[in-house]
Amino acid sequence: QVFARGQMRTDRGLTLIELLVAMTVFLVTTTAILAIFLMARDAQEKGSSQSEAYRTVFMALDRVESTLRGGQLLSPVDWESSITLGPVTVLTFRYPRRVGDLLQVDATGTPNWAGRARIELRPGGSLVRVDETTGVTNLLANLGTGGTVSFLRTERDLLEVTASAERADPFTDTVSRYKFTTVIRLWNQP
């Protein structure tokens, strides 16, 4: 075919340079999309371990509060010494006899005590209620190996409970921690 001067060919294929440029643009775009995907996945997994630590702390505090409902603290004995000595990690209390959710009381309104128990954190992060009367141990929450719990009696009928949980993210080798403090009102205190 003979072409006139200035006329462009319309039936040609891609040149090597055009093919290399297209492949480079495709590679850069694919790499950017993969990087964004991996960052989003890491953020989601980190958020998941953080929310798990958060849920664990609040579940532990809720279970401590329900365990102590109607109970009478035996250790720490009084709030003045508790303020002086600082927080403790084991809490001993008497628990009332119950029928369903109702506390059993005598004619004067004093609870009928069913036994003694303690709340403690075991090695490995298991927060447990140990019934000293029956010997039964109940798991309240698993706070993780770096989990902590402390009890501080701030007034005669107020108990400050601080719990922290730790959750490891197996994909990123990071550890998420969450710590929270709440105050529980205890009604049956001498």
PDB file of all heavy atoms in Angstrom, residues 109-149:
ATOM      1  N   GLY A 109     -35.506  -7.977 108.169  1.00  0.00           N
ATOM      2  CA  GLY A 109     -35.002  -7.507 106.878  1.00  0.00           C
ATOM      3  C   GLY A 109     -33.540  -7.815 106.641  1.00  0.00           C
ATOM      4  O   GLY A 109     -32.978  -7.434 105.624  1.00  0.00           O
ATOM      5  N   THR A 110     -32.914  -8.519 107.587  1.00  0.00           N
ATOM      6  CA  THR A 110     -31.512  -8.892 107.434  1.00  0.00           C
ATOM      7  C   THR A 110     -31.416 -10.114 106.526  1.00  0.00           C
ATOM      8  O   THR A 110     -32.165 -11.079 106.707  1.00  0.00           O
ATOM      9  CB  THR A 110     -30.896  -9.226 108.809  1.00  0.00           C
ATOM     10  OG1 THR A 110     -31.091  -8.110 109.670  1.00  0.00           O
ATOM     11  CG2 THR A 110     -29.417  -9.538 108.689  1.00  0.00           C
ATOM     12  N   PRO A 111     -30.511 -10.088 105.560  1.00  0.00           N
ATOM     13  CA  PRO A 111     -30.402 -11.243 104.655  1.00  0.00           C
ATOM     14  C   PRO A 111     -30.004 -12.517 105.398  1.00  0.00           C
ATOM     15  O   PRO A 111     -29.258 -12.483 106.378  1.00  0.00           O
ATOM     16  CB  PRO A 111     -29.292 -10.830 103.686  1.00  0.00           C
ATOM     17  CG  PRO A 111     -29.209  -9.354 103.777  1.00  0.00           C
ATOM     18  CD  PRO A 111     -29.608  -9.000 105.171  1.00  0.00           C
ATOM     19  N   ASN A 112     -30.509 -13.635 104.926  1.00  0.00           N
ATOM     20  CA  ASN A 112     -30.067 -14.943 105.392  1.00  0.00           C
ATOM     21  C   ASN A 112     -28.826 -15.295 104.581  1.00  0.00           C
ATOM     22  O   ASN A 112     -28.915 -15.496 103.369  1.00  0.00           O
ATOM     23  CB  ASN A 112     -31.154 -16.004 105.172  1.00  0.00           C
ATOM     24  CG  ASN A 112     -32.366 -15.762 106.024  1.00  0.00           C
ATOM     25  OD1 ASN A 112     -32.269 -15.259 107.127  1.00  0.00           O
ATOM     26  ND2 ASN A 112     -33.522 -16.107 105.489  1.00  0.00           N
ATOM     27  N   TRP A 113     -27.673 -15.337 105.234  1.00  0.00           N
ATOM     28  CA  TRP A 113     -26.429 -15.578 104.517  1.00  0.00           C
ATOM     29  C   TRP A 113     -26.291 -17.053 104.173  1.00  0.00           C
ATOM     30  O   TRP A 113     -26.496 -17.920 105.008  1.00  0.00           O
ATOM     31  CB  TRP A 113     -25.232 -15.102 105.336  1.00  0.00           C
ATOM     32  CG  TRP A 113     -25.327 -13.645 105.658  1.00  0.00           C
ATOM     33  CD1 TRP A 113     -25.487 -13.085 106.885  1.00  0.00           C
ATOM     34  CD2 TRP A 113     -25.305 -12.563 104.722  1.00  0.00           C
ATOM     35  NE1 TRP A 113     -25.572 -11.715 106.782  1.00  0.00           N
ATOM     36  CE2 TRP A 113     -25.453 -11.371 105.458  1.00  0.00           C
ATOM     37  CE3 TRP A 113     -25.177 -12.467 103.350  1.00  0.00           C
ATOM     38  CZ2 TRP A 113     -25.475 -10.114 104.859  1.00  0.00           C
ATOM     39  CZ3 TRP A 113     -25.195 -11.227 102.749  1.00  0.00           C
ATOM     40  CH2 TRP A 113     -25.339 -10.060 103.508  1.00  0.00           C
ATOM     41  N   ALA A 114     -25.937 -17.315 102.920  1.00  0.00           N
ATOM     42  CA  ALA A 114     -25.810 -18.689 102.444  1.00  0.00           C
ATOM     43  C   ALA A 114     -24.373 -19.185 102.532  1.00  0.00           C
ATOM     44  O   ALA A 114     -24.138 -20.375 102.622  1.00  0.00           O
ATOM     45  CB  ALA A 114     -26.307 -18.797 101.004  1.00  0.00           C
ATOM     46  N   GLY A 115     -23.394 -18.283 102.464  1.00  0.00           N
ATOM     47  CA  GLY A 115     -22.006 -18.718 102.518  1.00  0.00           C
ATOM     48  C   GLY A 115     -21.025 -17.600 102.205  1.00  0.00           C
ATOM     49  O   GLY A 115     -21.402 -16.437 102.082  1.00  0.00           O
ATOM     50  N   ARG A 116     -19.749 -17.997 102.100  1.00  0.00           N
ATOM     51  CA  ARG A 116     -18.655 -17.074 101.790  1.00  0.00           C
ATOM     52  C   ARG A 116     -18.112 -17.386 100.407  1.00  0.00           C
ATOM     53  O   ARG A 116     -18.052 -18.539 100.000  1.00  0.00           O
ATOM     54  CB  ARG A 116     -17.493 -17.263 102.764  1.00  0.00           C
ATOM     55  CG  ARG A 116     -17.597 -16.563 104.062  1.00  0.00           C
ATOM     56  CD  ARG A 116     -16.421 -16.939 104.934  1.00  0.00           C
ATOM     57  NE  ARG A 116     -15.127 -16.540 104.377  1.00  0.00           N
ATOM     58  CZ  ARG A 116     -14.299 -15.691 104.962  1.00  0.00           C
ATOM     59  NH1 ARG A 116     -14.611 -15.173 106.113  1.00  0.00           N
ATOM     60  NH2 ARG A 116     -13.153 -15.384 104.409  1.00  0.00           N
ATOM     61  N   ALA A 117     -17.660 -16.329  99.731  1.00  0.00           N
ATOM     62  CA  ALA A 117     -17.039 -16.517  98.421  1.00  0.00           C
ATOM     63  C   ALA A 117     -15.996 -15.426  98.231  1.00  0.00           C
ATOM     64  O   ALA A 117     -15.918 -14.468  99.009  1.00  0.00           O
ATOM     65  CB  ALA A 117     -18.083 -16.465  97.316  1.00  0.00           C
ATOM     66  N   ARG A 118     -15.183 -15.599  97.201  1.00  0.00           N
ATOM     67  CA  ARG A 118     -14.206 -14.566  96.853  1.00  0.00           C
ATOM     68  C   ARG A 118     -14.134 -14.441  95.345  1.00  0.00           C
ATOM     69  O   ARG A 118     -14.417 -15.387  94.607  1.00  0.00           O
ATOM     70  CB  ARG A 118     -12.842 -14.859  97.457  1.00  0.00           C
ATOM     71  CG  ARG A 118     -12.131 -16.051  96.909  1.00  0.00           C
ATOM     72  CD  ARG A 118     -10.777 -16.285  97.614  1.00  0.00           C
ATOM     73  NE  ARG A 118     -10.075 -17.402  97.024  1.00  0.00           N
ATOM     74  CZ  ARG A 118     -10.247 -18.666  97.336  1.00  0.00           C
ATOM     75  NH1 ARG A 118     -11.117 -18.983  98.285  1.00  0.00           N
ATOM     76  NH2 ARG A 118      -9.562 -19.621  96.743  1.00  0.00           N
ATOM     77  N   ILE A 119     -13.766 -13.261  94.909  1.00  0.00           N
ATOM     78  CA  ILE A 119     -13.535 -12.999  93.492  1.00  0.00           C
ATOM     79  C   ILE A 119     -12.046 -12.743  93.355  1.00  0.00           C
ATOM     80  O   ILE A 119     -11.486 -11.916  94.089  1.00  0.00           O
ATOM     81  CB  ILE A 119     -14.346 -11.791  92.999  1.00  0.00           C
ATOM     82  CG1 ILE A 119     -15.835 -12.068  93.138  1.00  0.00           C
ATOM     83  CG2 ILE A 119     -13.981 -11.462  91.552  1.00  0.00           C
ATOM     84  CD1 ILE A 119     -16.721 -10.887  92.818  1.00  0.00           C
ATOM     85  N   GLU A 120     -11.400 -13.457  92.435  1.00  0.00           N
ATOM     86  CA  GLU A 120      -9.953 -13.308  92.258  1.00  0.00           C
ATOM     87  C   GLU A 120      -9.584 -13.518  90.799  1.00  0.00           C
ATOM     88  O   GLU A 120     -10.330 -14.137  90.039  1.00  0.00           O
ATOM     89  CB  GLU A 120      -9.198 -14.288  93.140  1.00  0.00           C
ATOM     90  CG  GLU A 120      -9.440 -15.739  92.789  1.00  0.00           C
ATOM     91  CD  GLU A 120      -8.777 -16.713  93.765  1.00  0.00           C
ATOM     92  OE1 GLU A 120      -8.483 -16.335  94.907  1.00  0.00           O
ATOM     93  OE2 GLU A 120      -8.564 -17.864  93.359  1.00  0.00           O
ATOM     94  N   LEU A 121      -8.406 -13.012  90.460  1.00  0.00           N
ATOM     95  CA  LEU A 121      -7.870 -13.200  89.116  1.00  0.00           C
ATOM     96  C   LEU A 121      -6.814 -14.278  89.182  1.00  0.00           C
ATOM     97  O   LEU A 121      -5.836 -14.167  89.911  1.00  0.00           O
ATOM     98  CB  LEU A 121      -7.272 -11.881  88.602  1.00  0.00           C
ATOM     99  CG  LEU A 121      -6.804 -11.895  87.159  1.00  0.00           C
ATOM    100  CD1 LEU A 121      -7.994 -12.055  86.215  1.00  0.00           C
ATOM    101  CD2 LEU A 121      -6.052 -10.613  86.844  1.00  0.00           C
ATOM    102  N   ARG A 122      -7.012 -15.324  88.401  1.00  0.00           N
ATOM    103  CA  ARG A 122      -6.071 -16.443  88.368  1.00  0.00           C
ATOM    104  C   ARG A 122      -4.978 -16.187  87.335  1.00  0.00           C
ATOM    105  O   ARG A 122      -5.168 -15.399  86.406  1.00  0.00           O
ATOM    106  CB  ARG A 122      -6.808 -17.729  88.001  1.00  0.00           C
ATOM    107  CG  ARG A 122      -7.875 -18.140  89.022  1.00  0.00           C
ATOM    108  CD  ARG A 122      -7.307 -19.159  89.981  1.00  0.00           C
ATOM    109  NE  ARG A 122      -8.158 -19.451  91.096  1.00  0.00           N
ATOM    110  CZ  ARG A 122      -8.964 -20.503  91.181  1.00  0.00           C
ATOM    111  NH1 ARG A 122      -9.060 -21.343  90.176  1.00  0.00           N
ATOM    112  NH2 ARG A 122      -9.670 -20.712  92.273  1.00  0.00           N
ATOM    113  N   PRO A 123      -3.836 -16.874  87.457  1.00  0.00           N
ATOM    114  CA  PRO A 123      -2.804 -16.763  86.411  1.00  0.00           C
ATOM    115  C   PRO A 123      -3.399 -17.162  85.057  1.00  0.00           C
ATOM    116  O   PRO A 123      -4.174 -18.097  84.961  1.00  0.00           O
ATOM    117  CB  PRO A 123      -1.734 -17.751  86.857  1.00  0.00           C
ATOM    118  CG  PRO A 123      -1.921 -17.876  88.338  1.00  0.00           C
ATOM    119  CD  PRO A 123      -3.403 -17.717  88.570  1.00  0.00           C
ATOM    120  N   GLY A 124      -3.050 -16.425  84.045  1.00  0.00           N
ATOM    121  CA  GLY A 124      -3.625 -16.660  82.729  1.00  0.00           C
ATOM    122  C   GLY A 124      -4.788 -15.735  82.427  1.00  0.00           C
ATOM    123  O   GLY A 124      -5.291 -15.696  81.318  1.00  0.00           O
ATOM    124  N   GLY A 125      -5.251 -14.992  83.442  1.00  0.00           N
ATOM    125  CA  GLY A 125      -6.280 -13.984  83.216  1.00  0.00           C
ATOM    126  C   GLY A 125      -7.705 -14.405  83.460  1.00  0.00           C
ATOM    127  O   GLY A 125      -8.631 -13.707  83.063  1.00  0.00           O
ATOM    128  N   SER A 126      -7.929 -15.530  84.130  1.00  0.00           N
ATOM    129  CA  SER A 126      -9.301 -15.961  84.423  1.00  0.00           C
ATOM    130  C   SER A 126      -9.801 -15.286  85.690  1.00  0.00           C
ATOM    131  O   SER A 126      -9.231 -15.468  86.763  1.00  0.00           O
ATOM    132  CB  SER A 126      -9.359 -17.475  84.613  1.00  0.00           C
ATOM    133  OG  SER A 126      -8.993 -18.134  83.435  1.00  0.00           O
ATOM    134  N   LEU A 127     -10.855 -14.500  85.552  1.00  0.00           N
ATOM    135  CA  LEU A 127     -11.510 -13.872  86.700  1.00  0.00           C
ATOM    136  C   LEU A 127     -12.572 -14.846  87.187  1.00  0.00           C
ATOM    137  O   LEU A 127     -13.483 -15.197  86.434  1.00  0.00           O
ATOM    138  CB  LEU A 127     -12.146 -12.540  86.299  1.00  0.00           C
ATOM    139  CG  LEU A 127     -12.808 -11.750  87.415  1.00  0.00           C
ATOM    140  CD1 LEU A 127     -11.770 -11.335  88.458  1.00  0.00           C
ATOM    141  CD2 LEU A 127     -13.518 -10.536  86.859  1.00  0.00           C
ATOM    142  N   VAL A 128     -12.439 -15.313  88.433  1.00  0.00           N
ATOM    143  CA  VAL A 128     -13.318 -16.371  88.932  1.00  0.00           C
ATOM    144  C   VAL A 128     -13.974 -15.972  90.246  1.00  0.00           C
ATOM    145  O   VAL A 128     -13.480 -15.121  90.986  1.00  0.00           O
ATOM    146  CB  VAL A 128     -12.550 -17.706  89.128  1.00  0.00           C
ATOM    147  CG1 VAL A 128     -12.038 -18.238  87.806  1.00  0.00           C
ATOM    148  CG2 VAL A 128     -11.421 -17.548  90.117  1.00  0.00           C
ATOM    149  N   ARG A 129     -15.099 -16.632  90.510  1.00  0.00           N
ATOM    150  CA  ARG A 129     -15.777 -16.561  91.803  1.00  0.00           C
ATOM    151  C   ARG A 129     -15.583 -17.924  92.446  1.00  0.00           C
ATOM    152  O   ARG A 129     -15.994 -18.942  91.885  1.00  0.00           O
ATOM    153  CB  ARG A 129     -17.261 -16.291  91.632  1.00  0.00           C
ATOM    154  CG  ARG A 129     -18.044 -16.337  92.934  1.00  0.00           C
ATOM    155  CD  ARG A 129     -19.540 -16.299  92.631  1.00  0.00           C
ATOM    156  NE  ARG A 129     -20.333 -16.198  93.823  1.00  0.00           N
ATOM    157  CZ  ARG A 129     -20.828 -17.240  94.490  1.00  0.00           C
ATOM    158  NH1 ARG A 129     -20.590 -18.464  94.074  1.00  0.00           N
ATOM    159  NH2 ARG A 129     -21.551 -17.062  95.572  1.00  0.00           N
ATOM    160  N   VAL A 130     -14.930 -17.952  93.599  1.00  0.00           N
ATOM    161  CA  VAL A 130     -14.676 -19.197  94.315  1.00  0.00           C
ATOM    162  C   VAL A 130     -15.583 -19.225  95.534  1.00  0.00           C
ATOM    163  O   VAL A 130     -15.473 -18.366  96.412  1.00  0.00           O
ATOM    164  CB  VAL A 130     -13.191 -19.307  94.744  1.00  0.00           C
ATOM    165  CG1 VAL A 130     -12.956 -20.604  95.487  1.00  0.00           C
ATOM    166  CG2 VAL A 130     -12.272 -19.183  93.545  1.00  0.00           C
ATOM    167  N   ASP A 131     -16.474 -20.189  95.576  1.00  0.00           N
ATOM    168  CA  ASP A 131     -17.370 -20.338  96.713  1.00  0.00           C
ATOM    169  C   ASP A 131     -16.611 -21.090  97.796  1.00  0.00           C
ATOM    170  O   ASP A 131     -16.308 -22.272  97.642  1.00  0.00           O
ATOM    171  CB  ASP A 131     -18.633 -21.089  96.299  1.00  0.00           C
ATOM    172  CG  ASP A 131     -19.713 -21.049  97.361  1.00  0.00           C
ATOM    173  OD1 ASP A 131     -19.374 -21.162  98.560  1.00  0.00           O
ATOM    174  OD2 ASP A 131     -20.881 -20.899  96.985  1.00  0.00           O
ATOM    175  N   GLU A 132     -16.282 -20.415  98.895  1.00  0.00           N
ATOM    176  CA  GLU A 132     -15.510 -21.039  99.967  1.00  0.00           C
ATOM    177  C   GLU A 132     -16.353 -22.028 100.770  1.00  0.00           C
ATOM    178  O   GLU A 132     -15.814 -22.896 101.446  1.00  0.00           O
ATOM    179  CB  GLU A 132     -14.933 -19.964 100.886  1.00  0.00           C
ATOM    180  CG  GLU A 132     -13.915 -19.089 100.183  1.00  0.00           C
ATOM    181  CD  GLU A 132     -13.387 -17.960 101.053  1.00  0.00           C
ATOM    182  OE1 GLU A 132     -13.918 -17.740 102.171  1.00  0.00           O
ATOM    183  OE2 GLU A 132     -12.440 -17.297 100.611  1.00  0.00           O
ATOM    184  N   THR A 133     -17.677 -21.914 100.678  1.00  0.00           N
ATOM    185  CA  THR A 133     -18.559 -22.814 101.402  1.00  0.00           C
ATOM    186  C   THR A 133     -18.680 -24.158 100.682  1.00  0.00           C
ATOM    187  O   THR A 133     -18.578 -25.215 101.305  1.00  0.00           O
ATOM    188  CB  THR A 133     -19.958 -22.177 101.560  1.00  0.00           C
ATOM    189  OG1 THR A 133     -19.794 -20.893 102.166  1.00  0.00           O
ATOM    190  CG2 THR A 133     -20.865 -23.026 102.418  1.00  0.00           C
ATOM    191  N   THR A 134     -18.858 -24.123  99.367  1.00  0.00           N
ATOM    192  CA  THR A 134     -19.072 -25.357  98.605  1.00  0.00           C
ATOM    193  C   THR A 134     -17.839 -25.805  97.824  1.00  0.00           C
ATOM    194  O   THR A 134     -17.785 -26.933  97.366  1.00  0.00           O
ATOM    195  CB  THR A 134     -20.225 -25.181  97.601  1.00  0.00           C
ATOM    196  OG1 THR A 134     -19.853 -24.171  96.654  1.00  0.00           O
ATOM    197  CG2 THR A 134     -21.512 -24.804  98.298  1.00  0.00           C
ATOM    198  N   GLY A 135     -16.882 -24.896  97.638  1.00  0.00           N
ATOM    199  CA  GLY A 135     -15.686 -25.222  96.860  1.00  0.00           C
ATOM    200  C   GLY A 135     -15.863 -25.087  95.353  1.00  0.00           C
ATOM    201  O   GLY A 135     -14.952 -25.388  94.587  1.00  0.00           O
ATOM    202  N   VAL A 136     -17.011 -24.625  94.915  1.00  0.00           N
ATOM    203  CA  VAL A 136     -17.290 -24.483  93.478  1.00  0.00           C
ATOM    204  C   VAL A 136     -16.641 -23.206  92.947  1.00  0.00           C
ATOM    205  O   VAL A 136     -16.693 -22.152  93.576  1.00  0.00           O
ATOM    206  CB  VAL A 136     -18.817 -24.448  93.222  1.00  0.00           C
ATOM    207  CG1 VAL A 136     -19.131 -24.165  91.768  1.00  0.00           C
ATOM    208  CG2 VAL A 136     -19.446 -25.753  93.674  1.00  0.00           C
ATOM    209  N   THR A 137     -16.010 -23.326  91.774  1.00  0.00           N
ATOM    210  CA  THR A 137     -15.393 -22.179  91.115  1.00  0.00           C
ATOM    211  C   THR A 137     -16.149 -21.887  89.827  1.00  0.00           C
ATOM    212  O   THR A 137     -16.372 -22.786  89.024  1.00  0.00           O
ATOM    213  CB  THR A 137     -13.912 -22.468  90.793  1.00  0.00           C
ATOM    214  OG1 THR A 137     -13.220 -22.717  92.020  1.00  0.00           O
ATOM    215  CG2 THR A 137     -13.264 -21.303  90.080  1.00  0.00           C
ATOM    216  N   ASN A 138     -16.540 -20.617  89.646  1.00  0.00           N
ATOM    217  CA  ASN A 138     -17.236 -20.193  88.433  1.00  0.00           C
ATOM    218  C   ASN A 138     -16.402 -19.158  87.703  1.00  0.00           C
ATOM    219  O   ASN A 138     -15.914 -18.210  88.321  1.00  0.00           O
ATOM    220  CB  ASN A 138     -18.601 -19.576  88.766  1.00  0.00           C
ATOM    221  CG  ASN A 138     -19.514 -20.545  89.443  1.00  0.00           C
ATOM    222  OD1 ASN A 138     -19.519 -20.614  90.657  1.00  0.00           O
ATOM    223  ND2 ASN A 138     -20.270 -21.291  88.688  1.00  0.00           N
ATOM    224  N   LEU A 139     -16.279 -19.318  86.398  1.00  0.00           N
ATOM    225  CA  LEU A 139     -15.569 -18.350  85.575  1.00  0.00           C
ATOM    226  C   LEU A 139     -16.479 -17.154  85.327  1.00  0.00           C
ATOM    227  O   LEU A 139     -17.593 -17.303  84.837  1.00  0.00           O
ATOM    228  CB  LEU A 139     -15.156 -18.981  84.242  1.00  0.00           C
ATOM    229  CG  LEU A 139     -14.443 -18.061  83.261  1.00  0.00           C
ATOM    230  CD1 LEU A 139     -13.069 -17.662  83.790  1.00  0.00           C
ATOM    231  CD2 LEU A 139     -14.308 -18.739  81.902  1.00  0.00           C
ATOM    232  N   LEU A 140     -15.989 -15.963  85.678  1.00  0.00           N
ATOM    233  CA  LEU A 140     -16.742 -14.741  85.409  1.00  0.00           C
ATOM    234  C   LEU A 140     -16.349 -14.155  84.057  1.00  0.00           C
ATOM    235  O   LEU A 140     -17.188 -13.697  83.305  1.00  0.00           O
ATOM    236  CB  LEU A 140     -16.516 -13.708  86.515  1.00  0.00           C
ATOM    237  CG  LEU A 140     -16.947 -14.126  87.920  1.00  0.00           C
ATOM    238  CD1 LEU A 140     -16.603 -13.051  88.934  1.00  0.00           C
ATOM    239  CD2 LEU A 140     -18.427 -14.448  87.951  1.00  0.00           C
ATOM    240  N   ALA A 141     -15.043 -14.155  83.758  1.00  0.00           N
ATOM    241  CA  ALA A 141     -14.551 -13.629  82.483  1.00  0.00           C
ATOM    242  C   ALA A 141     -13.104 -14.048  82.293  1.00  0.00           C
ATOM    243  O   ALA A 141     -12.391 -14.288  83.262  1.00  0.00           O
ATOM    244  CB  ALA A 141     -14.662 -12.114  82.446  1.00  0.00           C
ATOM    245  N   ASN A 142     -12.682 -14.111  81.046  1.00  0.00           N
ATOM    246  CA  ASN A 142     -11.281 -14.362  80.733  1.00  0.00           C
ATOM    247  C   ASN A 142     -10.686 -13.047  80.238  1.00  0.00           C
ATOM    248  O   ASN A 142     -10.957 -12.629  79.118  1.00  0.00           O
ATOM    249  CB  ASN A 142     -11.138 -15.457  79.684  1.00  0.00           C
ATOM    250  CG  ASN A 142      -9.688 -15.812  79.434  1.00  0.00           C
ATOM    251  OD1 ASN A 142      -8.790 -15.225  80.023  1.00  0.00           O
ATOM    252  ND2 ASN A 142      -9.471 -16.765  78.560  1.00  0.00           N
ATOM    253  N   LEU A 143      -9.876 -12.401  81.081  1.00  0.00           N
ATOM    254  CA  LEU A 143      -9.328 -11.087  80.761  1.00  0.00           C
ATOM    255  C   LEU A 143      -8.055 -11.157  79.940  1.00  0.00           C
ATOM    256  O   LEU A 143      -7.514 -10.121  79.558  1.00  0.00           O
ATOM    257  CB  LEU A 143      -9.077 -10.305  82.057  1.00  0.00           C
ATOM    258  CG  LEU A 143     -10.315 -10.035  82.911  1.00  0.00           C
ATOM    259  CD1 LEU A 143      -9.932  -9.339  84.201  1.00  0.00           C
ATOM    260  CD2 LEU A 143     -11.350  -9.250  82.146  1.00  0.00           C
ATOM    261  N   GLY A 144      -7.549 -12.338  79.659  1.00  0.00           N
ATOM    262  CA  GLY A 144      -6.318 -12.472  78.896  1.00  0.00           C
ATOM    263  C   GLY A 144      -5.109 -12.480  79.811  1.00  0.00           C
ATOM    264  O   GLY A 144      -5.192 -12.130  80.993  1.00  0.00           O
ATOM    265  N   THR A 145      -3.963 -12.871  79.275  1.00  0.00           N
ATOM    266  CA  THR A 145      -2.765 -13.024  80.106  1.00  0.00           C
ATOM    267  C   THR A 145      -2.312 -11.715  80.727  1.00  0.00           C
ATOM    268  O   THR A 145      -1.726 -11.712  81.798  1.00  0.00           O
ATOM    269  CB  THR A 145      -1.610 -13.623  79.295  1.00  0.00           C
ATOM    270  OG1 THR A 145      -1.396 -12.823  78.145  1.00  0.00           O
ATOM    271  CG2 THR A 145      -1.912 -15.048  78.883  1.00  0.00           C
ATOM    272  N   GLY A 146      -2.570 -10.589  80.086  1.00  0.00           N
ATOM    273  CA  GLY A 146      -2.187  -9.292  80.644  1.00  0.00           C
ATOM    274  C   GLY A 146      -3.326  -8.599  81.347  1.00  0.00           C
ATOM    275  O   GLY A 146      -3.221  -7.431  81.712  1.00  0.00           O
ATOM    276  N   GLY A 147      -4.444  -9.309  81.559  1.00  0.00           N
ATOM    277  CA  GLY A 147      -5.605  -8.716  82.205  1.00  0.00           C
ATOM    278  C   GLY A 147      -5.368  -8.463  83.684  1.00  0.00           C
ATOM    279  O   GLY A 147      -4.577  -9.151  84.327  1.00  0.00           O
ATOM    280  N   THR A 148      -6.050  -7.458  84.220  1.00  0.00           N
ATOM    281  CA  THR A 148      -5.934  -7.120  85.633  1.00  0.00           C
ATOM    282  C   THR A 148      -7.320  -6.811  86.198  1.00  0.00           C
ATOM    283  O   THR A 148      -8.246  -6.483  85.453  1.00  0.00           O
ATOM    284  CB  THR A 148      -5.040  -5.876  85.852  1.00  0.00           C
ATOM    285  OG1 THR A 148      -5.625  -4.751  85.191  1.00  0.00           O
ATOM    286  CG2 THR A 148      -3.637  -6.109  85.336  1.00  0.00           C
ATOM    287  N   VAL A 149      -7.412  -6.900  87.512  1.00  0.00           N
ATOM    288  CA  VAL A 149      -8.613  -6.464  88.214  1.00  0.00           C
ATOM    289  C   VAL A 149      -8.183  -5.968  89.587  1.00  0.00           C
ATOM    290  O   VAL A 149      -7.245  -6.510  90.191  1.00  0.00           O
ATOM    291  CB  VAL A 149      -9.676  -7.589  88.324  1.00  0.00           C
ATOM    292  CG1 VAL A 149      -9.205  -8.710  89.230  1.00  0.00           C
ATOM    293  CG2 VAL A 149     -11.008  -7.051  88.783  1.00  0.00           C
TER     294      VAL A 149
END
